[in-house]
Amino acid sequence: SAIAAADAFGGGATGANRTPASQWEYPVDELISALSGAHDTNLQDSQCPQKWFDATDGDAKDAVRQWRESLAWRREFEVDQVLSRPLPQFFKIKKLFPHAWLGFDRDGHLVTLEQFGNVRRNVTDLKAAGVTPEDFAAHCVFLNEYWIKNKLTKTGRLNKIVDLKGGGYSQIVRDVINFFQPMNHAMQQYPELIVKIHLINVPSSFRILWKIVSAFLAKKTTEKITVVGGNEKMVFDHLHSAFPKEILPLEYGGTMDKPLREIQLEKDPADYIRRLNKNCGVPSEGDWNPLPEDWAPGSPPLRPSATRSSRLLTAAVAGLAASSTAAEHEVLLNNLVGDWVGDLSSSESMDPVLELQGVNWVKRKAAANLTPSQAIQITGRGTKTILIITKTGPVTSKATGEINGAPSRLDGMGSGAQETVQVLVTSAPPELAARGASQCVQLRFTLANGDSRVVSHTFADLNNDCNTKLMAIKYTRAKDSKTATVVLVSHRKTN
């Protein structure tokens, strides 16, 4: 599977439209940009990210094709919502298919370990436990989205150790290949992730097969794959030359003497998932360190020092009113992500706001019959950024800003020239509080003419219904301080 992914995204770019590296603070930022835009219907082929040219050796036609296919895949499977969806099979998969994030190599790349030596038995056990190929693919997509969106490595790339100890021809059967097909397809949607694949403890039978197979692979692919067999010393010497000993487990000649699940990089996403599952009312089957039965959002930390995942989840709401729990903010941010369709029958008329904006009666009348839709994305690690794309009839507008950051310039978006926007997680305004909401994500726009627009997004019942979103729009006209507020209702798009 790792070989297939490497072959799909093999190499260096020769395309003429390379984006200067200086545009990105870190390479992982370029990767995040390359994966964005799934819900932007205005993207042109000329906007194809450089990452896709890198992945296709500069072939413009193939780069655009693969990029478009990846965007369609992200839309179809709602990949931008992965970090807000529960994963009940997460702990089963961790137990039954050995894989882990070990740490970072000397260049800062994330180092992963996958043990494929008994993969036939692993797949049999996964299926017996009720894990489907689609569940496994979703698990791997979550891991990718987690480390990329949280920028665990600034390089945006992986070094893979694949251990084939005990494996051989007997492991390569149709059942195994079929099980991993959805995962392979999903991994091909991430351009240029893999720096190198280190196949270790390779049995002689596989080395013979590799000589045959490698003759049919692209040179760039074979250059990314190192095959190490022979004795234990050869394996250890190779691993020591490529990775720091302190991240390698004892069985690989390193000094890391704890179980894989006790590595901090492993504990963080596990903590994230068990809390997310609990918040969503989904059991974490097979969890080796389950939350206490009486745990609820806002409970004290499970251990004295907060994990990295805890810090990541709460960073966006640091410094907010002490009366609001960080857990509630986490749930709010996670659940806002997705596609939303307006409910005209449950929403108030936009007419008062449009009239204050100076929109004439004919256009207001036409707007009253249009069903708006929104796509909301939230990305980032310690600093989170929200992107909201709104479509109403033929009009598409975008709003984006750093959550709890300083106001940022935002010109020409939507109705009127919006000069600045500030995004905050704060208390719900009275119109939404009256409907049961306590907190909201609020976008505060200041227009070029001095008018202001405050748009608040939340849920009436955050604990039980995150499929119905409330949005309050308050417009203030500068010249006479007149205001108008309306509340709109939308529902999560499910297909």
Side-chain angles (χ1 to χ4, degrees):
S1 60
I3 295 174
D7 194 37
F9 300 111
T14 59
N17 64 338
R18 176 184 293 274
T19 301
S22 59
Q23 176 175 331
W24 312 104
E25 183 178 4
Y26 300 111
V28 70
D29 297 313
E30 181 182 4
L31 174 61
I32 291 172
S33 176
L35 299 176
S36 67
H39 299 280
D40 189 345
T41 58
N42 296 319
L43 287 175
Q44 304 299 313
D45 288 353
S46 60
Q47 295 173 271
C48 180
Q50 182 62 34
K51 273 284 186 180
W52 295 98
F53 286 89
D54 296 346
T56 57
D57 201 18
D59 185 325
K61 184 176 181 180
D62 202 27
V64 171
R65 178 186 63 79
Q66 291 192 24
W67 174 53
R68 291 289 187 185
E69 289 177 355
S70 180
L71 293 178
W73 172 79
R74 294 184 75 87
R75 283 194 301 273
E76 179 182 355
F77 293 98
E78 299 181 322
V79 176
D80 291 325
Q81 299 180 45
V82 161
L83 297 185
S84 63
R85 286 204 298 261
L87 283 179
Q89 307 282 32
F90 180 87
F91 296 96
K92 283 186 185 178
I93 294 173
K94 276 291 182 183
K95 279 185 175 180
L96 299 175
F97 181 81
H99 62 291
W101 294 337
L102 298 182
F104 303 95
D105 66 16
R106 297 179 184 94
D107 294 318
H109 305 309
L110 184 63
V111 179
T112 70
L113 170 67
E114 298 172 6
Q115 296 176 334
F116 271 87
N118 201 17
V119 67
R120 189 174 180 180
R121 174 61 183 271
N122 296 147
V123 168
T124 298
D125 290 345
L126 286 167
K127 294 171 72 174
V131 178
T132 67
E134 291 72 25
D135 291 332
F136 190 82
H139 177 92
C140 295
V141 169
F142 165 80
L143 293 176
N144 265 6
E145 294 292 312
Y146 182 93
W147 76 257
I148 292 171
K149 297 295 177 60
N150 290 313
K151 302 183 184 181
L152 296 191
T153 166
K154 295 175 181 178
T155 70
R157 305 195 72 188
L158 305 173
N159 242 323
K160 281 181 171 285
I161 301 172
V162 180
D163 187 358
L164 299 179
K165 187 174 185 178
Y169 286 130
S170 63
Q171 300 294 325
I172 308 173
V173 296
R174 175 56 57 184
D175 197 40
V176 170
I177 295 171
N178 288 343
F179 188 86
F180 288 121
Q181 276 184 344
M183 182 272 291
N184 276 333
H185 176 70
M187 294 302 98
Q188 289 170 11
Q189 312 308 317
Y190 295 89
E192 285 293 277
L193 286 194
I194 298 174
V195 177
K196 206 167 188 67
I197 298 173
H198 305 260
L199 299 178
I200 63 170
N201 293 315
V202 178
S204 57
S205 59
F206 184 89
R207 294 201 296 274
I208 295 171
L209 177 63
W210 173 246
K211 289 181 179 179
I212 299 172
V213 172
S214 61
F216 296 94
L217 297 176
K219 181 181 178 181
K220 292 187 297 293
T221 299
T222 59
E223 288 175 345
K224 286 189 174 185
I225 300 171
T226 299
V227 178
V228 184
N231 58 40
E232 186 178 83
K233 183 179 185 304
M234 292 177 63
V235 172
F236 286 3
D237 286 347
H238 172 76
L239 292 177
H240 296 165
S241 69
F243 308 106
K245 286 186 179 181
E246 56 265 26
I247 73 168
L248 295 171
L250 295 176
E251 64 182 295
Y252 297 108
T255 60
M256 200 279 290
D257 60 354
K258 61 181 69 174
L260 294 179
R261 67 178 58 161
E262 291 302 314
I263 299 172
Q264 194 62 51
L265 280 171
E266 285 292 294
K267 293 166 76 172
D268 290 347
D271 285 345
Y272 183 104
I273 284 296
R274 60 173 57 98
R275 289 188 294 142
L276 178 60
N277 285 352
K278 183 78 170 181
N279 283 335
C280 296
V282 173
S284 295
E285 299 178 29
D287 188 355
W288 50 84
N289 187 26
L291 293 168
E293 287 296 323
D294 60 351
W295 184 91
S299 296
L302 297 182
R303 54 181 185 274
S305 60
T307 65
R308 180 191 298 259
S309 63
S310 296
R311 294 193 298 272
L312 296 177
L313 285 168
T314 60
V317 294
L320 298 177
S323 59
S324 304
T325 67
E328 183 178 1
H329 297 148
E330 291 173 18
V331 178
L332 173 62
L333 292 173
N334 287 337
N335 283 287
L336 281 177
V337 174
D339 296 322
W340 301 90
V341 179
D343 182 346
L344 294 182
S345 63
S346 300
S347 299
E348 296 175 352
S349 171
M350 276 289 294
D351 199 72
V353 167
L354 296 177
E355 184 178 7
L356 266 189
Q357 290 180 223
V359 178
N360 65 47
W361 181 85
V362 175
K363 290 183 178 180
R364 299 202 308 267
K365 190 70 174 177
N369 297 315
L370 298 176
T371 300
S373 63
Q374 287 185 324
I376 299 179
Q377 301 176 27
I378 296 177
T379 58
R381 186 180 175 180
T383 300
K384 292 182 181 290
T385 299
I386 190 169
L387 169 65
I388 301 177
I389 301 174
T390 303
K391 293 187 67 176
T392 306
V395 178
T396 299
S397 63
K398 299 179 186 178
T400 186
E402 179 184 308
I403 298 175
N404 295 324
S408 57
R409 189 167 183 80
L410 188 65
D411 292 328
M413 299 295 183
S415 179
Q418 293 170 352
E419 190 170 85
T420 64
V421 61
Q422 184 175 27
V423 184
L424 300 172
V425 182
T426 186
S427 299
E431 298 79 14
L432 298 180
R435 300 189 181 213
S438 59
Q439 304 296 318
C440 71
V441 172
Q442 193 170 86
L443 287 79
R444 300 176 180 179
F445 299 99
T446 300
L447 309 190
N449 61 4
D451 291 1
S452 69
R453 180 204 300 260
V454 178
V455 183
S456 304
H457 299 264
T458 190
F459 304 92
D461 188 349
L462 191 58
N463 293 321
N464 297 309
D465 183 9
C466 290
N467 291 317
T468 300
K469 181 171 73 72
L470 303 178
M471 181 173 69
I473 302 176
K474 179 180 181 180
Y475 194 92
T476 303
R477 190 164 61 189
K479 68 179 183 179
D480 55 11
S481 299
K482 284 189 175 180
T483 66
T485 303
V486 299
V487 176
L488 308 180
V489 178
S490 59
H491 302 291
R492 192 182 298 277
K493 188 176 180 181
T494 56
N495 52 40

